[in-house]
């Protein structure tokens, strides 16, 4: 069922409307003694259900509105947060912010506040939150299938709705609302040797598919029991979409123009400058951020209030743009990048990698010997100049022999860069929406395909399941 359709068991999310946010912003601005003021409002509602040992263990809901008042005194700035929305409290916060601003060192890179901006018309969308009964029913689908197969299911359902607003003393007012849901489950065998994982992600609760999630996690748990060790090394590797997202989103995070121009990045061009216009990965790779992909109803805006636009980061393997904030864009004489922060970052942001037509089954059939990876975790940086990271496989790692998945294998530690393996690309599958965050919190949207690559580097074995 689409998230655009209201359901009787759902309750409207308790987030601020545009009119309510504008009223709070106007009252805060009116009471600010500073020469220049910015007001940022975050209104959020959250509902979650956790299950473990094949039963629901916790269920909770909360909502809050936070107002951040930033006062400017020339190039000096200070911010004060409050969740008290009466006029006296807003005035006190604004006064305190201004008094602190007078004391802090000036910021030589501070950009002036923007004036009023033009934003796209809001997309019609009903933002609702599921009841505890709805969430419990979804969890039950997983726990019952696990119990029927003598397995143990744990998992988490998180539903978020939010409204944000930004206003300043130059007449700018921006408002946006969004919602996102994530359901994850890890299913394990009683002896602890098998572990399967699956995730379902979307804008609204009706987007979740608990049946498919349960079937995938249970089957992986059964198939991954009693893993065997194989030697670390470089293998032809098939990465499921979540594993692809775990690593490919690290490219977007590294696409900061200033770091590249100052010689601190993979995107620094040898001899000076940056790699815009240069080919860096296989020509089948295209990475974009598009407000249409995100859960936003108003199109979104960046930290300064500029409306977000579709941005192509890499097209057919070639770097098309980098993320220029307003200060660095002015210094370099180019337009700022209206992406919301260099690709994917938080609710309302998005990252999409265009895919192909190969299924995972087809990739397996064409593999003489290789490894199939469900996902990665504990991902940590090693070398920013090559976007090299290390981490571990988890919850279903399998050996492929002569075109078939033949056995479960022990997990590996990897040392790899998405730049490296996207230059060793053999096949891409269809792009789907995933949640690629390591902590798997609901918010934002990431769209990734499964891929098959050559010579993926697994550096050592791990005894973790």
């Amino acid at each position: 069922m689409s998230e655009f359709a209201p359901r009787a068991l759902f309750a409207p999310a308790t987030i601020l409307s545009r009119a309510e946010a504008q009223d709070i912003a106007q009252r805060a601005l009116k009471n600010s003694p500073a020469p220049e003021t910015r007001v940022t409002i975050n209104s959020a509602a959250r509902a979650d259900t956790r299950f473990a040992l094949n039963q629901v263990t916790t269920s909770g809901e909360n909502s809050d509105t936070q107002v951040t008042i930033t006062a400017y005194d020339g190039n000096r700035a200070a911010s004060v947060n409050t969740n008290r929305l009466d006029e006296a409290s807003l005035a006190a916060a604004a006064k305190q912010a201004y008094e602190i601003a007078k004391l802090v060192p000036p910021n030589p890179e501070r950009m002036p506040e923007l004036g009023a901006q033009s934003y796209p018309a809001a997309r019609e969308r009903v933002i609702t939150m599921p009841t505890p009964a709805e969430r419990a029913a979804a969890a039950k689908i997983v726990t019952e299938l696990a119990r029927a197969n003598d397995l143990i299911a744990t998992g988490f359902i998180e539903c978020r709705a939010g409204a944000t607003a930004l206003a300043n003393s130059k007449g700018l007012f921006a408002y946006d609302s969004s919602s996102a849901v994530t359901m994850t489950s890890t299913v394990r065998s009683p002896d602890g040797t098998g572990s399967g994982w699956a995730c379902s992600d979307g804008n609204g609760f009706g987007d979740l598919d608990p049946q498919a999630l349960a079937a995938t996690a249970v089957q992986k748990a059964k198939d991954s029991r009693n893993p065997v060790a194989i030697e670390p090394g470089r293998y032809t590797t098939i990465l499921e979409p979540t594993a692809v997202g775990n690593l490919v989103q690290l490219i977007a995070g590294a696409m900061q123009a200033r770091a590249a121009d100052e010689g601190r990045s993979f995107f620094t061009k040898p001899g000076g400058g940056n790699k815009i216009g240069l080919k860096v990965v296989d020509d089948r790779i295209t990475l974009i951020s598009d407000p249409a992909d995100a859960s936003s109803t108003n199109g979104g805006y960046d930290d300064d209030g500029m409306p977000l636009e579709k941005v192509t980061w890499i097209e057919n393997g070639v770097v098309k743009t980098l993320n220029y904030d307003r200060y660095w864009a002015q210094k370099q004489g180019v337009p700022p990048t209206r992406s919301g922060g260099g690709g994917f970052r938080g609710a309302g942001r998005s990252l999409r990698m265009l895919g192909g037509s190969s299924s995972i089954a087809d990739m397996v059939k064409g593999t003489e010997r290789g490894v199939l990876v469900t996902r990665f975790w504990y991902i940590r940086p090693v070398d920013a100049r090559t976007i090299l990271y290390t981490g571990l496989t988890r919850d279903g790692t399998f050996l492929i022999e002569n075109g078939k998945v033949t056995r479960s294998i022990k997990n590996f530690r990897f040392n790899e860069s998405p730049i490296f393996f996207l230059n060793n690309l053999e096949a891409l599958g269809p792009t789907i929406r995933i949640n690629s965050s390591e902590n798997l919190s609901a918010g934002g949207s990431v769209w990734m395909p499964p891929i098959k690559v050559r010579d993926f580097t697994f550096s050592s074995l791990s005894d973790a399941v």
Side-chain angles (χ1 to χ4, degrees), residues 267-331:
F267 293 98
T268 298
K269 183 179 179 180
N274 61 51
K275 292 182 179 177
I276 292 178
L278 298 183
K279 186 174 183 293
V280 296
V281 289
D282 187 282
D283 58 14
R284 288 168 286 180
I285 299 300
T286 295
L287 283 177
I288 64 173
S289 295
D290 189 347
D293 276 343
S295 58
S296 167
T297 63
N298 293 69
Y301 55 89
D302 71 5
D303 290 343
D304 284 338
M306 291 191 299
L308 300 186
E309 297 178 344
K310 181 178 178 180
V311 175
T312 299
W313 303 104
I314 294 175
E315 185 175 38
N316 299 328
V318 175
V319 180
K320 302 299 289 185
T321 191
L322 296 172
N323 186 54
Y324 286 86
D325 61 31
R326 289 175 61 213
Y327 170 78
W328 198 247
Q330 182 184 65
K331 191 174 180 66

Side-chain angles (χ1 to χ4, degrees), residues 76-92:
R76 304 173 192 269
S79 299
V80 171
N81 298 333
T82 182
N83 62 358
R84 301 180 64 175
L85 308 180
D86 61 280
E87 191 151 347
S89 298
L90 293 172

Side-chain angles (χ1 to χ4, degrees), residues 30-54:
K30 179 183 69 175
N31 286 285
S32 174
E36 202 168 17
T37 304
R38 174 187 292 192
V39 178
T40 304
I41 301 170
N42 286 284
S43 173
R46 180 174 177 271
D48 64 70
T49 294
R50 189 180 299 276
F51 53 99
L53 300 177
N54 290 336

Side-chain angles (χ1 to χ4, degrees), residues 39-236:
V39 178
T40 304
I41 301 170
N42 286 284
S43 173
R46 180 174 177 271
D48 64 70
T49 294
R50 189 180 299 276
F51 53 99
L53 300 177
N54 290 336
Q55 60 186 336
V56 170
T57 57
T58 61
S59 180
E61 299 178 6
N62 61 68
S63 60
D64 192 21
T65 295
Q66 293 280 340
V67 179
T68 301
I69 300 177
T70 303
Y72 297 98
D73 183 34
N75 284 345
R76 304 173 192 269
S79 299
V80 171
N81 298 333
T82 182
N83 62 358
R84 301 180 64 175
L85 308 180
D86 61 280
E87 191 151 347
S89 298
L90 293 172
K95 180 180 178 182
Q96 186 179 31
Y98 184 42
E99 292 303 318
I100 298 172
K102 296 175 183 178
L103 305 176
V104 302
N107 175 11
E109 297 183 3
R110 188 234 160 176
M111 296 297 292
E113 291 292 285
L114 296 171
Q117 304 287 301
S118 296
Y119 300 99
R123 291 182 280 180
E124 291 297 325
R125 184 156 165 257
V126 177
I127 295 181
T128 56
M129 296 290 273
T131 66
E134 285 277 338
R135 302 194 303 272
K140 187 177 181 181
I141 292 170
V142 183
T143 58
E144 286 195 339
L145 186 62
R147 187 179 292 110
N149 285 271
D150 297 320
L151 300 169
I152 302 166
T154 64
F156 192 51
I157 302 170
E158 185 179 31
C159 312
R160 291 182 180 270
T164 62
L166 189 151
N168 66 27
S169 47
K170 288 191 173 180
L172 182 146
F173 179 77
Y175 173 87
D176 196 16
S177 63
S178 63
S179 65
V181 296
T182 291
M183 181 177 183
T184 64
S185 181
T186 300
V187 177
R188 292 199 167 187
S189 60
D191 63 3
T193 67
S195 182
W197 175 91
C199 176
S200 187
D201 200 66
N203 293 341
F205 194 72
D207 290 337
L208 298 184
D209 190 345
Q211 289 87 357
L213 180 150
T216 298
V218 165
Q219 190 62 51
K220 282 182 178 286
K222 293 166 67 175
D223 293 343
S224 63
R225 287 175 294 192
N226 303 311
V228 300
I230 67 171
E231 285 297 316
R234 293 184 176 181
Y235 287 88
T236 295

Side-chain angles (χ1 to χ4, degrees), residues 175-449:
Y175 173 87
D176 196 16
S177 63
S178 63
S179 65
V181 296
T182 291
M183 181 177 183
T184 64
S185 181
T186 300
V187 177
R188 292 199 167 187
S189 60
D191 63 3
T193 67
S195 182
W197 175 91
C199 176
S200 187
D201 200 66
N203 293 341
F205 194 72
D207 290 337
L208 298 184
D209 190 345
Q211 289 87 357
L213 180 150
T216 298
V218 165
Q219 190 62 51
K220 282 182 178 286
K222 293 166 67 175
D223 293 343
S224 63
R225 287 175 294 192
N226 303 311
V228 300
I230 67 171
E231 285 297 316
R234 293 184 176 181
Y235 287 88
T236 295
T237 302
I238 297 170
L239 304 178
E240 294 191 1
T242 295
V244 176
N246 289 150
L247 300 185
V248 168
Q249 68 173 347
L250 303 172
I251 297 176
M255 300 188 78
Q256 304 302 319
R258 183 169 188 172
D261 293 342
E262 292 180 343
R264 300 181 282 111
S265 163
F266 166 78
F267 293 98
T268 298
K269 183 179 179 180
N274 61 51
K275 292 182 179 177
I276 292 178
L278 298 183
K279 186 174 183 293
V280 296
V281 289
D282 187 282
D283 58 14
R284 288 168 286 180
I285 299 300
T286 295
L287 283 177
I288 64 173
S289 295
D290 189 347
D293 276 343
S295 58
S296 167
T297 63
N298 293 69
Y301 55 89
D302 71 5
D303 290 343
D304 284 338
M306 291 191 299
L308 300 186
E309 297 178 344
K310 181 178 178 180
V311 175
T312 299
W313 303 104
I314 294 175
E315 185 175 38
N316 299 328
V318 175
V319 180
K320 302 299 289 185
T321 191
L322 296 172
N323 186 54
Y324 286 86
D325 61 31
R326 289 175 61 213
Y327 170 78
W328 198 247
Q330 182 184 65
K331 191 174 180 66
Q332 299 298 96
V334 299
T337 309
R338 301 188 178 200
S339 68
F344 171 73
R345 187 185 66 186
R349 311 299 190 246
S350 68
L351 180 67
R352 176 183 287 264
M353 177 172 154
L354 301 190
S357 58
S358 297
S359 67
I360 291 178
D362 289 338
M363 295 179 194
V364 169
K365 287 179 183 178
T367 302
E368 182 176 348
R369 182 175 170 84
V371 174
L372 173 63
V373 175
T374 296
R375 67 169 178 144
F376 298 112
W377 75 298
Y378 214 79
I379 302 163
R380 297 296 182 266
V382 176
D383 179 16
R385 293 297 301 269
T386 57
I387 319 182
L388 182 67
Y389 279 74
T390 189
L392 300 166
T393 63
R394 185 176 187 180
D395 298 319
T397 307
F398 302 95
L399 179 66
I400 303 168
E401 296 175 297
N402 300 317
K404 295 181 180 180
V405 176
T406 57
R407 66 186 72 182
S408 169
I409 56 176
K410 285 192 174 183
N411 285 307
F412 287 116
R413 172 170 291 282
F414 70 87
N415 279 72
E416 190 58 90
S417 165
I419 294 294
F420 297 168
F421 68 71
L422 291 182
N423 273 293
N424 291 328
L425 185 67
E426 290 196 355
L428 297 99
T431 295
I432 65 169
R433 179 166 173 166
I434 62 165
N435 191 312
S436 67
S437 169
E438 195 172 343
N439 64 14
L440 294 172
S441 177
S445 57
V446 179
W447 301 75
M448 292 285 152

